[in-house]
Every structure is written in structure tokens, then in C-alpha cells.
Amino acid sequence: MNIRTALIGAGNMARHHLPLMVIAGADIRVICEPSAENYAATLERLTELGAPAPPNEPILAELLAKFAGELDAVFIITPHNMHHDHAKMCLEAGLDVLLEKPMVMNAAEAISLMETRDRTGKHLVVAFQGGLSPQIRHAADLIASGELGELRAVTGMVWQGWKDITAGTWRQIPEIAGGGFLFDSGAHMLNTVCTLVGEEFETVAAWLDYRGTPVDVDGVVMGRLESGALVTLNGCGDCIPGLYNEVYVNLTGGVIRTGIYGERLLIRREGETEYCEVGDLPRMRGAWEQFTQVRAGEIENPCPPEVGLRMAKLWDAIVESAGKDGQPVHPLARTA
């Protein structure tokens, strides 16, 4: 199905998505990119893929005024601080939205987007690999069903040589990025854990280390869920090159082992001596392909803004606690 699309943001991440978008039938009619260099690089990539070269309208309001009537949807791949306003504008222009991670900068923005989605009746899907992963969704269903017993503890870690590879970029400008490593690569861990447990954090304590940069590079988070289960999360963005990650979910009847992107799923049930990989699950489809399935009514939204709100509440609590040197904060108290 060809979907008349605008690409909002044409940097490296946008070019990463282009091959699967073209294969899945995205008809990119226009691009919104203020950088002439990024626009040229994206046109070159589209040419390599055999796709037409769309025009560039670098101001989103003007793009929507000129092209909204000729579009079905947008894929927003802009810096974090632009996500809320760009998504809201596009939803109000009558367009379905696929939005890069993290969804927004804070819980207030998440609530605003949910209200806009409900008011406009348009689709809003967040491009978090964990949320889009059949493995993570299967694991979340197992946890919610009680098949593996009572949830007791969750442990997650993500380590990456992030500090050096993002030096000098907007990802280390707090006003634009909204955070550092734990809100960038580490956001996959936060979102995947929120998706798996399917419940709110009752208490959060956190410490962030900036390692001489303007944003957090290392971080440790401890929390207690509404159910009483305990969570520990560790992020280190100043280490050797590469990316290393694990998520463990401990239940009274077994242990789930996966990754922050949902790229694997292993379970060891009570009485078993080894982890067994879970097979017979649907293949992992790309963000754009699943977005098209949501629009066609073929699947439920696998990564809706409700999950984005849960992660945003967690991030707000992390920032608040870290600003108080790890003093516990209680996110539920704000909404009680």
C-alpha cells in the first residue's frame, strides 16, 4: 500500500529508515529538513534506492499549509525537543504520525499528545524497537497473565561508548536532547522495561554522572512498582566501543531474559535447568511496516503513546531524584 508521506527530519536516523520505508511502499512526497547538507544526503540515498527525489520545505508549518491535503502520514525523525510540537501540528493537520523515540521530553508533553490523538482521531505510533518487538509483547503478555507467577524483580543494563561518538552533537545539548545517554540509547531500556511490566513506578531513586559533559553519561536507577516488585537499571555511556545490553525479569515461576530492543527472548521455567529460546513468534517488522499495518487496521498499535507516557513519568522521576542526590520520589503521588 502506497502511503503519501512527509519525512520530517532527514538526518542519519532518517536515512537509516529509508530502505525499509521504500520497500514497504512509502511514497515520500516532501521532506522537511533545515540542513541543506542533510537534505542532499537524503536525496542521494533515495536515488540509490530507486525512489523519486521529493522537494524540501524546511519549515513545518509551511509544509503543512502547502501539502497536508496531499498527504496521508508523516514520519517524524527530529531532535527530541521538537517531537511534541511537530507531532501535535501534524495530528491537527489530519495526518497519521509515526514518531521516533523517545516520544517526548516529559509526562506533560505525553499527556498533551494523547489528548491531541484522541481529539483528532488519528494514529500515533512510537518507533521504539522494544515496543514493536513481538518478543517483548509476548513476554509482556506472559507477565500480565500470571502464567509465570508473581513478578518479583527486574534488572536491566545498557553500556555503550556513547560519550565519544556523540561529542559535539545536539545529543549532548540538554535543551535539545532532554537528557544524555539514559534518555538516548538508554531510553530503549526504560521503554522496554515499562512495556514488559505494564504498571507504574510507585517509588524511584536515581543517580546520574555527567562525566564532564553537559548531560548524563552514567546512571543508576532503583525503583518499586505498584505491585511491590523491585527494579534496578544501570546505564553506562562512557566505556569501550560497542553496545551491550540485557534485561532480566524474575518471577516466582521462571525467569525471562531479553534485550532492550527485544531482539531475543529466552525463558527458564521453574524446574528447568537452562534457558530456552522462544520460537514460533512473528518476525520482527520494521517501524514503518508496522505503522502501515496499524493504519490498515491489521494490528493493534504495538507502541502507543500510553507506553510513552509511562516512560515519560519514569524519566521525570529519574531527573527529580537525581537532582536531589538520589532522594526517593513518588510519581504516583502526583496523580493520586
Side-chain angles (χ1 to χ4, degrees):
M1 177 188 299
N2 289 337
I3 299 176
R4 301 173 301 171
T5 306
L7 190 65
I8 314 301
N12 288 330
M13 187 54 66
R15 293 191 286 277
H16 168 77
H17 284 288
L18 283 178
L20 290 180
M21 290 183 69
V22 171
I23 291 172
D27 178 9
I28 302 175
R29 296 288 183 92
V30 62
I31 291 172
C32 182
E33 174 52 62
S35 164
E37 181 179 356
N38 276 338
Y39 175 60
T42 298
L43 288 191
E44 182 178 352
R45 186 71 177 115
L46 285 168
T47 299
E48 293 171 356
L49 296 168
N56 184 33
E57 175 48 70
I59 300 175
L60 181 57
E62 295 185 10
L63 181 151
L64 294 173
K66 295 176 184 176
F67 295 97
E70 305 170 23
L71 298 171
D72 303 307
V74 300
F75 192 174
I76 298 174
I77 317 174
T78 54
H80 305 161
N81 67 326
M82 301 178 184
H83 285 189
H84 170 267
D85 290 356
H86 284 178
K88 189 172 188 292
M89 291 170 65
C90 291
L91 290 167
E92 291 179 336
L95 303 174
D96 293 322
V97 173
L98 177 60
L99 180 59
E100 251 298 343
K101 68 85 191 169
M103 185 176 85
V104 287
M105 301 273 274
N106 52 54
E109 289 188 350
I111 292 169
S112 172
L113 281 193
M114 289 169 61
E115 291 173 343
T116 305
R117 176 209 53 188
D118 294 344
R119 173 166 47 84
T120 61
K122 307 309 294 184
H123 294 290
L124 174 59
V125 180
V126 186
F128 258 117
Q129 287 98 318
L132 299 173
S133 162
Q135 285 77 11
I136 294 299
R137 296 204 300 274
H138 179 71
D141 289 343
L142 281 177
I143 295 167
S145 72
E147 180 180 331
L148 290 175
E150 179 185 345
L151 177 63
R152 300 301 300 275
V154 181
T155 295
M157 57 79 69
V158 55
W159 300 342
Q160 183 184 28
W162 180 90
K163 178 184 175 184
D164 290 340
I165 63 177
T166 60
T169 73
W170 63 264
R171 295 181 187 276
Q172 291 195 21
I173 301 175
E175 297 79 11
I176 299 176
F181 175 63
L182 205 57
F183 198 58
D184 193 17
S185 297
H188 291 283
M189 175 177 65
L190 303 183
N191 184 79
T192 292
V193 168
C194 287
T195 302
L196 284 168
V197 301
E199 57 176 302
E200 303 285 345
F201 279 78
E202 189 277 330
T203 305
V204 173
W207 293 263
L208 300 175
D209 191 332
Y210 286 53
R211 306 287 293 173
T213 76
V215 295
D216 61 277
V217 174
D218 298 342
V220 173
V221 181
M222 299 189 299
R224 185 188 297 275
L225 300 172
E226 283 183 283
S227 63
L230 301 177
V231 179
T232 57
L233 305 173
N234 175 267
C236 179
D238 186 12
C239 58
I240 63 174
L243 187 146
Y244 313 89
N245 69 94
E246 290 285 350
V247 176
Y248 288 91
V249 182
N250 184 11
L251 303 108
T252 55
V255 178
I256 293 172
R257 179 181 176 186
T258 186
I260 65 172
Y261 302 108
E263 65 274 38
R264 58 189 179 275
L265 178 61
L266 300 97
I267 298 178
R268 180 182 172 188
R269 297 174 184 269
E270 185 177 13
E272 297 176 343
T273 59
E274 296 181 355
Y275 286 97
C276 296
E277 186 167 3
V278 178
D280 301 323
L281 293 175
R283 70 173 178 86
M284 175 66 171
R285 299 176 184 270
W288 182 260
E289 187 176 358
Q290 293 195 53
F291 177 63
T292 65
Q293 290 180 296
V294 171
R295 293 190 73 253
E298 297 172 0
I299 61 172
E300 293 292 326
N301 187 343
C303 198
E306 283 76 6
V307 177
L309 172 60
R310 189 173 292 129
M311 184 202 137
K313 288 179 178 178
L314 173 57
W315 178 246
D316 285 352
I318 290 170
V319 172
E320 180 181 351
S321 175
K324 300 175 180 178
D325 194 27
Q327 178 180 325
V329 299
H330 303 281
L332 287 178
R334 301 189 184 93
T335 57

